[in-house]
Amino acid sequence: EVQAIGVLAATSSAMRGCLWEDGPFWRVYAGPGLEGAPITSSAPELRDQFRKWLFHLDGEWVQAFREFTEQAEQHVFGADYRQLLSDAKYMASGLMPSDGPEAIEDFAQLLRSLLSQYSAALLDERAIAERLVTVVERRTDVFTEAQISAVSVAYDESVERAMLDRDLDVPESYPHELWDGPDDFEPEDDPLGGLGGHEAAMWDAVAAPAPAEEFDDDAAADFWGAALRDEGSDFFAV
């Protein structure tokens, strides 16, 4: 819906005036997202308040998300990093430079922490982590080059750890040291495929995560990033 408004507003100056630049329209459209907005607020101010509400970037948003991740990590079954990474990606897609360099830097540090703690060996977590990094790399209007590089490095290191752990878990000498059959036996002779085939499948899985089906926040990021420059989980429960 939000992206459709941007598309319509770009079709003509008249549509822009009655949609994008119209304060009463935003009050009706945003509903509870503009609760408490002063009656004198302009359309740009209302849009910005709605954006912050929509992406949970209002108030002490970095601290709120940090506390949420800390609580999740204390869960008896451990943190659901798939959900945490998805939430972080959604928030990153809605950021704007006006959210402040200090808050954005704190958020970038939190992203690096998440990327250093999740398990890249779990394909669903790694797929979302990769999409998070993609969003950050695209948001050069928000993140500095150093922040983007640090987030990317944290992701690369997580993948390297998963590969190293996988190599440690499967000794290179196995299964030949345990094989008491003919000396000329080759793994491909095994009707079950041998450990070699299993290792290959594991390696392919780590190297090529399956895409996760989830909310398409790329469109939302494109909308807010372009339109404004031209002028769920428990954490996201409202």
Side-chain angles (χ1 to χ4, degrees):
E1 291 184 7
V2 178
Q3 187 182 27
I5 295 174
V7 173
L8 287 173
T11 58
S12 68
S13 58
M15 290 297 292
R16 182 181 180 88
C18 69
L19 290 178
W20 195 250
E21 300 295 346
D22 187 66
F25 166 79
W26 284 103
R27 287 186 180 278
V28 173
Y29 177 78
L34 296 180
E35 183 178 356
I39 192 65
T40 57
S41 297
S42 64
E45 292 172 333
L46 294 175
R47 289 197 307 270
D48 195 52
Q49 181 174 336
F50 176 56
R51 174 186 65 84
K52 291 180 178 180
W53 174 83
L54 184 66
F55 290 96
H56 285 256
L57 302 172
D58 47 354
E60 298 296 326
W61 59 277
V62 177
Q63 182 59 28
F65 189 57
R66 179 182 292 111
E67 293 175 355
F68 179 71
T69 59
E70 291 173 352
Q71 293 174 4
E73 290 165 355
Q74 296 172 2
H75 193 277
V76 63
F77 295 112
D80 182 356
Y81 284 105
R82 185 182 187 280
Q83 187 63 64
L84 292 176
L85 292 167
S86 180
D87 291 347
K89 176 171 62 65
Y90 181 72
M91 295 171 71
S93 71
L95 283 172
M96 292 297 291
S98 60
D99 292 315
E102 293 184 1
I104 293 174
E105 170 60 26
D106 291 342
F107 184 59
Q109 292 180 3
L110 186 53
L111 296 183
R112 296 199 297 271
S113 177
L114 287 174
L115 290 170
S116 68
Q117 297 178 57
Y118 88 103
S119 175
L122 301 178
L123 302 187
D124 54 349
E125 289 188 9
R126 184 185 168 191
I128 297 179
E130 185 175 14
R131 292 197 64 189
L132 167 60
V133 175
T134 298
V135 170
V136 172
E137 291 176 339
R138 190 178 68 242
R139 299 308 308 275
T140 56
D141 59 321
V142 172
F143 296 101
T144 65
E145 183 176 346
Q147 291 167 342
I148 294 174
S149 176
V151 169
S152 299
V153 168
Y155 170 74
D156 291 340
E157 290 177 346
S158 73
V159 176
E160 292 174 1
R161 285 195 302 272
M163 292 183 175
L164 289 174
D165 291 344
R166 169 259 174 200
D167 289 339
L168 291 174
D169 291 341
V170 184
E172 187 174 326
S173 58
Y174 183 83
H176 300 293
E177 291 182 357
L178 304 179
W179 176 248
D180 293 327
D183 293 337
D184 60 350
F185 175 83
E186 295 294 338
E188 55 266 30
D189 295 332
D190 184 356
L192 298 181
L195 183 64
H198 180 61
E199 285 188 82
M202 291 175 61
W203 184 269
D204 291 341
V206 172
E213 295 182 2
E214 54 187 279
F215 175 80
D216 184 8
D217 52 35
D218 295 349
D222 292 340
F223 167 73
W224 287 110
L228 293 181
R229 283 195 298 272
D230 290 340
E231 30 172 358
S233 70
D234 292 339
F235 180 71
F236 288 111
V238 294

